[in-house]
Amino acid sequence: MKCALMEGRRQGVVVARDEFRNCNQTPFCNRARSRKPNSCSLIAVDVKISDGDLVAKLIPKNPPQIDHNSTDSSNQENGVEDLVQKPLILRFSAYQDGVLRVKIDEDQTLNPPKKRFEVPSVIESDFLEKKLWLQRYSEEKIDGDSGVSSIVVYLADGYEAILRRDPFEVFVRDKNGGNRVISINSHGLFDFEQLRVKKNEGDNWEENFRSHTDTRPYGPQSISFDVSFYDADFVYGIPEHATSLALKPTRGPGIEFSEPYRLFNLDVFEYLHESPFGLYGSIPFMLAHGKARGTSGFFWLNAAEMQIDVLGDGWDAGESRLSLPSEQKRIDTLWMSEAGIIDAFFFVGPGPKDVVRQYVSVTGMPAMPQHFATAYHQCRWNYRDEEDVYHVDSKFDEYDIPYDVLWLDIEHTDGKKYFTWDRMLFPNPEEMQNKLAGKGRRMVTIVDPHIKRDESYYIHKEASEKGHYVKDATGKDYDGWCWPGSSSYLDMLSPEVREWWAEKFSYKNYVGSTPSLYIWNDMNEPSVFNGPERFIYDVEGKYEDGIGDRNIEYCEFRFPCLFDEMEMVTMPRDALHVGGVEHRELHNSYGYYFHMGTAGGLVKRGEGKDRPFVLSRAFFAGSQRYGAVWTGDNTAEWEQLRVSVPMVLAMGLTGITFSGADIGGFFGNPEPELLVRWYQLGAYYPFFRGHAHHDTKRREPWLFGERNTERMRDAIRIRYMLLPYFYTLFRESNTTGAPVMRPLWMEFPSDEATFNNDEAFMVGNSILVQGVYTEQTKHESVYLPGDQYWYDMRTGAAYKGGVIHKLEVSDDGVPAFQRAGTIIPRKDRYRRSSTQMVNDPYTLVIALNSSQSAEGELYVDDGKSFEFQRGAYIHRRFIFTDGKLTSLNLAPSSNDGRLFSTECVIERIILLGHNARPKSALIEPFKKEAEIEMGPLRVQQSQTTSVLTIRKPNVRISDDWTIQIL
């Protein structure tokens, strides 16, 4: 049956924006947005030092008079009476590297109805050990203080944290100049709804959204406050949204975005670009950057639904009390959450990489991936059977296209029961995996959090018996609908459940798995097809609110395109987790815990010897510790290619450094030109995977004619050529948090022309890539920042920095440039997979700057184990200056070189921008000469430029040596 609606969606004529839950339909957001500046009357009292922290109570300055005999319930609904009786507790903590932590919660000594949820297992234990135990504080009269002095504490060299007592405000300032960096409650928008119990039958705290009722057993419990970033030109971060990298104002005079940026993990079908609606992941971390000061950051550790306004100029219409020097501009934001506590972190920077480093010191360094995972992945929903798998695999060989991983979606299972195989379609899964492994290739299978409610299914039976499922509001196992039909969801908040889950990945339990099989966690927002926020269209294009008794599997197979028309699905907010935690309180972290449990399962499977590879769709702060993330169900449209770049950049800024978008778009059928352009751009994503919906036409790279196959093959080969550089960047990310794929302003923080540019990006500090986002483009304007030259990576041509170049664009690739002053390691021989390239020699590409110097790094380990943590790696720095190339050891002196060794050598050294034409080079300490001549910029390329090349120096990458040009 043909679905007219599906065709309409593909043509972009059906927009379901009205079916998204907006701020007006979200009471806590609506209440917070309605508050006026200066409406907060809290003051800080009883200030003291306790356990190395600054502690104070927050109480109303002028408590409202409560008529306890009144029958008016408005006081109870607004929380006024409870706020008078129960002060809030504020706690300041200072940490090394200029991190301030501010916690505000209810006073536990006053016996609130329950303890508010604090998100566990996100903050790194190493960070907690870096606490600066405060011994004293000083007092200072600050402009605007009402009678009492403000409290000043040391934060870091050059920075102080200030608690203004009356009116209540928290800010960090530059100690030297006195300028502010970040503040909370400068505009008096702070509000904290305290937990309550029903006192009479008239209390009605239920909320309804369409046919679903949220019981809200403890009443409204939302929190909101304003955060200001000073001397900022733009703010960035808070993924996941399909929008520009620089966040647009959502509120104020003439603002186009009338909705806040929403952070609420949802299964969003065919999402819209340029939309502030939340997608699959949520990281409540925002960075601000400006030329005047640099970069700062703010992170709120809170896993409940969050809405964030970026406030445009004039939003307060002069109502704010903020008094600032006229020269210090700011960007104001409003943060609103449904539940939880305030557990906020201020990061002072001052540089972009400093802020990212400070953030990951709190939430964890990104995991070091296995080497194969940084190469190309081939996926489809679904490769039908073993014959299809072998056919696709052989075609990659036939067309000489490298790839490393073949993926299987849900149809490989027995009735969508995870850890099983459809033995009619995949009768010999171990043999299939082993055959691919013989070529150095791996497989990935999907494992989702919904468990089919089938008494014959051992996972369900065991989970049910052990009480491992999330409960509904009545205490019964929650029963929702997903791919298998009736399903229950594992309570991954529980460490016990995560440990139980980890056991399921053993070879004994996951029958048919092998050491070369890895895992994909999809639908882990969690996705629930009959949850509160969803709708389904019928074949006439109308939606039905609810599925009722309809059999989902019947819908899926009888009317597949009908089944695809569902939006924004997840679990009810009043579902219950271990310890009585409501789902509303932890929702955004559910996928994080599932990702954590799965990664732990693969580590346990390998007896702690092998790094896991787990791809997750949902994510939260800290997800970077457990694997890769992708941007979800995008579409085959030029606009979606365009928006993929800021989406991946935003994730990188917030710790998720291993991410990418589905090449070609998950939905729809890309025209060959779009598919080619996507491969050419996607080759530079940190995570590089082609993927497609089962209703799309097959789109493997050899299906679009010889010329297009050649272009896609070349794009994939570029990725394989650059794998040494990418792997080195992943190690940098693993040790500093610096993203692999970076906005231009991260490398050029003073260049204002880069601040709002998200069509181009940096790969590390050495490569700039400009995407091509429109069809039949003949020219592209490319801004190359800085005052040094840039070298075209395809032709070697030099282009001046600091100007916009209008460049002719060919079909052969997207513009990519190597920055002068850098050295990039490559491997120029193309094989079936990255595993088969392990022992191949290296090429160094030296792009000289105006001083005729350059430097770069190379990191190598065994590519799979955790032995690198014991020092089993090679890390070299290459420095070219005064006509001499030197290789230096960057590994610590305690590094045991015997743990990892390699015989790999450097077979070519390319010199770009060299002023002379030397004939030979002297290699020390070996006292041998190498020839210098003109050679190809890229081998195995039909058309290439001749460049100055040192041929066959054959020096080992693990040795100290110098090469002097004669």
Side-chain angles (χ1 to χ4, degrees):
M1 176 180 291
K2 181 179 180 181
C3 269
L5 176 69
M6 190 66 170
E7 293 302 313
R9 284 296 295 259
R10 287 175 178 161
Q11 295 170 23
V13 299
V14 177
V15 179
R17 188 181 297 272
D18 291 344
E19 295 304 322
F20 291 89
R21 185 170 181 170
N22 58 38
C23 182
N24 287 334
Q25 295 169 319
T26 307
F28 81 85
C29 182
N30 199 15
R31 289 196 300 273
R33 264 191 157 189
S34 67
R35 291 173 62 82
K36 301 298 183 182
N38 307 325
S39 59
C40 173
S41 65
L42 295 179
I43 60 173
V45 299
D46 297 343
V47 179
K48 62 183 179 179
I49 298 288
S50 176
D51 294 328
D53 296 333
L54 183 75
V55 179
K57 291 182 179 180
L58 299 180
I59 64 171
K61 183 175 183 180
N62 299 304
Q65 299 299 311
I66 305 299
D67 182 358
H68 295 279
N69 298 318
S70 173
T71 59
D72 185 358
S73 63
S74 62
N75 286 331
Q76 294 176 356
E77 175 62 24
N78 294 326
V80 173
E81 182 175 8
D82 292 312
L83 188 59
V84 172
Q85 295 176 349
K86 298 179 180 179
L88 299 172
I89 302 298
L90 176 146
R91 184 176 294 269
F92 260 41
S93 304
Y95 293 83
Q96 295 174 18
D97 201 18
V99 178
L100 173 68
R101 184 180 188 181
V102 176
K103 295 185 72 172
I104 302 177
D105 194 2
E106 299 187 41
D107 188 342
Q108 299 304 306
T109 66
L110 300 179
N111 299 316
K114 75 165 194 171
K115 191 177 188 306
R116 297 176 77 110
F117 181 66
E118 298 185 43
V119 187
S121 306
V122 170
I123 298 177
E124 283 279 52
S125 58
D126 289 348
F127 171 76
L128 297 176
E129 295 173 1
K130 297 176 182 177
K131 177 178 171 179
L132 303 177
W133 287 72
L134 301 177
Q135 302 297 323
R136 66 183 69 87
Y137 62 83
S138 61
E139 297 190 31
E140 179 182 331
K141 197 74 171 178
I142 296 175
D143 289 344
D145 283 346
S146 298
V148 294
S149 297
S150 294
I151 306 298
V152 181
V153 299
Y154 169 86
L155 179 60
D157 290 344
Y159 296 97
E160 294 172 324
I162 314 296
L163 169 61
R164 172 175 273 172
R165 290 192 281 181
D166 183 8
F168 161 62
E169 181 188 11
V170 174
F171 64 92
V172 173
R173 72 180 179 190
D174 184 326
K175 184 177 180 181
N176 298 321
N179 285 341
R180 294 171 175 234
V181 180
I182 315 170
S183 69
I184 283 181
N185 202 38
S186 297
H187 301 280
L189 294 177
F190 182 95
D191 188 45
F192 194 113
E193 296 179 325
Q194 299 198 29
L195 301 176
R196 284 160 286 164
V197 294
K198 291 188 176 183
K199 296 180 179 179
N200 57 65
E201 293 300 322
D203 294 337
N204 180 14
W205 298 329
E206 291 182 348
E207 290 181 2
N208 296 301
F209 182 68
R210 305 224 308 268
S211 64
H212 285 259
T213 298
D214 176 6
T215 58
R216 294 202 309 169
Y218 299 99
Q221 52 183 289
S222 70
I223 303 169
S224 56
F225 51 85
D226 55 276
V227 178
S228 296
F229 300 90
Y230 299 88
D231 293 322
D233 295 319
F234 294 97
V235 288
Y236 312 88
I238 58 169
E240 182 178 32
H241 305 93
T243 58
S244 60
L245 180 63
L247 299 173
K248 298 177 181 178
T250 59
R251 182 175 161 196
I255 298 303
E256 180 181 353
F257 279 14
S258 60
E259 284 293 310
Y261 288 98
R262 189 184 192 195
L263 293 179
F264 192 61
N265 295 5
L266 290 164
D267 177 2
V268 185
F269 172 91
E270 204 168 359
Y271 55 79
L272 302 172
H273 65 279
E274 288 304 317
S275 167
F277 291 111
L279 299 180
Y280 313 95
S282 298
I283 299 182
F285 171 42
M286 184 179 287
L287 302 89
H289 183 73
K291 185 176 181 179
R293 187 202 167 265
T295 316
S296 59
F298 179 81
F299 168 52
W300 184 6
L301 179 55
N302 185 310
E305 178 180 358
M306 198 175 293
Q307 305 263 4
I308 302 173
D309 268 321
V310 177
L311 304 173
D313 291 340
W315 69 272
D316 54 349
E319 296 182 42
S320 176
R321 66 166 179 253
L322 189 65
S323 175
L324 286 175
S326 58
E327 66 271 14
Q328 192 175 14
K329 63 181 179 180
R330 69 184 191 273
I331 294 179
D332 300 323
T333 58
L334 176 62
W335 298 59
M336 305 163 275
S337 180
E338 183 183 10
I341 68 167
I342 294 178
D343 192 357
F345 297 79
F346 297 64
F347 307 111
V348 299
K353 294 178 185 177
D354 297 320
V355 171
V356 172
R357 183 191 69 249
Q358 290 157 3
Y359 168 74
V360 297
S361 74
V362 176
T363 61
M365 293 294 173
M368 186 65 192
Q370 287 209 38
H371 189 270
F372 81 84
T374 67
Y376 176 63
H377 301 243
Q378 182 65 38
C379 183
R380 180 176 177 80
W381 177 21
N382 204 79
Y383 286 117
R384 297 183 301 268
D385 50 30
E386 288 181 8
E387 182 180 355
D388 198 8
V389 167
Y390 291 137
H391 172 76
V392 171
D393 177 69
S394 66
K395 283 293 186 179
F396 272 95
D397 293 339
E398 178 183 338
Y399 285 92
D400 203 16
I401 303 173
Y403 88 98
D404 267 63
V405 193
L406 196 68
W407 293 53
L408 296 178
D409 211 317
I410 54 177
E411 312 304 338
H412 82 278
T413 61
D414 176 13
K416 299 179 181 60
K417 293 178 288 188
Y418 301 109
F419 303 102
T420 69
W421 302 83
D422 184 328
R423 292 289 178 165
M424 294 294 291
L425 302 177
F426 296 92
N428 302 295
E430 299 100 324
E431 180 182 348
M432 175 180 63
Q433 295 161 54
N434 290 334
K435 284 184 176 180
L436 293 183
K439 298 179 178 181
R441 292 167 177 162
R442 276 80 168 177
M443 292 202 80
V444 166
T445 53
I446 198 165
V447 177
D448 292 348
H450 48 266
I451 305 300
K452 186 172 185 176
R453 295 185 60 83
D454 181 339
E455 290 302 321
S456 66
Y457 181 26
Y458 75 101
I459 297 284
H460 167 66
K461 185 175 180 181
E462 193 174 330
S464 181
E465 291 173 351
K466 291 179 177 292
H468 285 345
Y469 285 136
V470 176
K471 313 302 182 198
D472 64 21
T474 69
K476 298 178 181 178
D477 286 350
Y478 175 70
D479 185 350
W481 289 82
C482 207
W483 296 126
S486 178
S487 304
S488 286
Y489 294 74
L490 294 167
D491 187 0
M492 286 298 185
L493 176 64
S494 166
E496 178 187 353
V497 175
R498 293 198 299 268
E499 186 67 22
W500 171 83
W501 180 249
E503 295 285 351
K504 304 310 166 195
F505 292 92
S506 69
Y507 303 122
K508 175 183 177 182
N509 288 326
Y510 192 174
V511 177
S513 65
T514 71
S516 63
L517 184 71
Y518 296 88
I519 301 300
W520 173 16
N521 287 162
D522 196 3
M523 316 294 283
N524 55 334
E525 291 74 32
S527 176
V528 185
F529 291 165
N530 61 331
E533 294 202 49
R534 60 86 194 82
F535 65 95
I536 183 167
Y537 282 102
D538 65 20
V539 292
E540 282 78 33
K542 302 174 183 177
Y543 74 84
E544 300 176 8
D545 182 18
I547 296 176
D549 295 328
R550 180 183 304 177
N551 183 293
I552 276 203
E553 288 197 306
Y554 173 81
C555 291
E556 179 187 358
F557 292 107
R558 180 68 179 87
F559 306 113
C561 54
L562 174 154
F563 192 72
D564 282 342
E565 290 302 320
M566 291 185 298
E567 299 277 359
M568 298 185 62
V569 286
T570 195
M571 190 177 291
R573 296 165 192 253
D574 55 4
L576 296 173
H577 295 259
V578 62
V581 176
E582 290 186 281
H583 188 72
R584 82 178 76 254
E585 300 175 277
L586 64 82
H587 171 80
N588 286 343
S589 62
Y590 181 88
Y592 165 74
Y593 295 119
F594 193 77
H595 198 184
M596 179 194 301
T598 302
L602 291 190
V603 172
K604 194 165 189 175
R605 179 188 78 173
E607 298 178 339
K609 297 177 181 178
D610 290 336
R611 302 172 220 165
F613 173 74
V614 183
L615 179 75
S616 176
R617 188 170 70 174
F619 58 85
F620 186 65
S623 288
Q624 66 269 14
R625 307 205 300 258
Y626 301 107
V629 167
W630 93 108
T631 63
D633 296 348
N634 58 358
T635 55
E637 299 172 352
W638 287 94
E639 293 85 356
Q640 294 267 325
L641 170 63
R642 164 72 182 82
V643 82
S644 73
V645 172
M647 291 179 75
V648 175
L649 289 174
M651 284 195 275
L653 287 174
T654 54
I656 310 293
T657 60
F658 195 10
S659 65
D662 285 342
I663 304 299
F666 178 64
F667 289 107
N669 297 303
E671 293 298 319
E673 183 186 2
L674 172 58
L675 185 61
V676 167
R677 289 300 190 201
W678 215 315
Y679 268 99
Q680 292 169 343
L681 181 77
Y684 296 97
Y685 291 154
F687 175 60
F688 184 26
R689 181 184 75 156
H691 184 38
H693 189 276
H694 61 63
D695 280 347
T696 65
K697 299 175 183 177
R698 294 292 286 259
R699 62 167 84 146
E700 287 76 24
W702 52 84
L703 296 176
F704 298 87
E706 182 178 349
R707 186 71 185 99
N708 288 319
T709 296
E710 181 182 346
R711 291 165 180 153
M712 287 184 273
R713 175 172 53 230
D714 185 63
I716 294 172
R717 284 180 169 182
I718 286 175
R719 175 52 166 253
Y720 278 78
M721 179 179 71
L722 292 173
L723 282 178
Y725 179 64
F726 270 90
Y727 198 64
T728 300
L729 292 176
F730 276 108
R731 176 56 171 168
E732 180 186 0
S733 179
N734 173 245
T735 55
T736 70
V740 174
M741 181 170 156
R742 306 170 184 175
L744 301 184
W745 54 265
M746 178 165 272
E747 292 298 327
F748 301 91
S750 298
D751 189 339
E752 293 178 88
T754 68
F755 293 178
N756 200 25
N757 183 343
D758 58 11
E759 293 195 345
F761 56 89
M762 298 292 297
V763 180
N765 71 339
S766 304
I767 296 175
L768 183 149
V769 179
Q770 169 69 53
V772 175
Y773 307 112
T774 54
E775 55 187 326
Q776 298 181 352
T777 296
K778 301 301 180 184
H779 295 86
E780 193 72 49
S781 293
V782 183
Y783 177 67
L784 299 176
D787 57 3
Q788 295 289 330
Y789 278 93
W790 295 81
Y791 297 90
D792 189 302
M793 294 181 66
R794 186 170 294 274
T795 67
Y799 293 88
K800 186 178 181 181
V803 297
I804 297 173
H805 298 269
K806 187 175 182 180
L807 302 178
E808 186 175 333
V809 177
S810 73
D811 296 333
D812 294 329
V814 296
F817 303 86
Q818 182 173 347
R819 181 182 182 179
T822 65
I823 299 175
I824 291 177
R826 299 188 332 203
K827 284 197 173 185
D828 290 356
R829 301 181 186 184
Y830 308 114
R831 303 189 187 276
R832 287 175 171 174
S833 64
S834 66
T835 303
Q836 296 187 337
M837 298 168 61
V838 167
N839 297 317
D840 285 349
Y842 289 81
T843 293
L844 296 182
V845 182
I846 302 176
L848 297 173
N849 61 18
S850 58
S851 301
Q852 292 288 280
S853 62
E855 61 180 78
E857 295 182 12
L858 172 64
Y859 173 85
V860 184
D861 60 25
D862 65 17
K864 59 182 180 180
S865 77
F866 289 102
E867 288 298 296
F868 73 97
Q869 296 176 342
R870 298 175 54 217
Y873 61 84
I874 294 167
H875 193 183
R876 309 298 299 188
R877 171 170 288 150
F878 304 115
I879 299 176
F880 187 94
T881 186
D882 296 328
K884 180 190 292 186
L885 176 64
T886 304
S887 176
L888 301 173
N889 183 23
L890 284 182
S893 57
S894 59
N895 189 56
D896 188 347
R898 295 170 297 177
L899 293 174
F900 176 74
S901 62
T902 176
E903 297 299 316
C904 284
V905 300
I906 296 172
E907 68 171 349
R908 292 201 311 151
I909 299 173
I910 293 172
L911 295 168
L912 300 176
H914 197 273
N915 289 337
R917 284 292 183 90
K919 298 297 183 182
S920 64
L922 178 64
I923 304 173
E924 296 286 3
F926 312 108
K927 298 188 182 301
K928 66 176 184 178
E929 287 194 11
E931 296 179 355
I932 300 180
E933 59 186 37
M934 301 303 289
L937 180 58
R938 283 182 58 193
V939 297
Q940 296 181 319
Q941 186 183 24
S942 57
Q943 296 180 351
T944 188
T945 305
S946 291
V947 291
L948 200 64
T949 304
I950 303 176
R951 293 187 63 251
K952 297 184 178 179
N954 292 335
V955 287
R956 297 201 315 171
I957 62 168
S958 56
D959 292 343
D960 291 339
W961 43 259
T962 64
I963 300 177
Q964 178 70 58
I965 292 177
L966 301 176

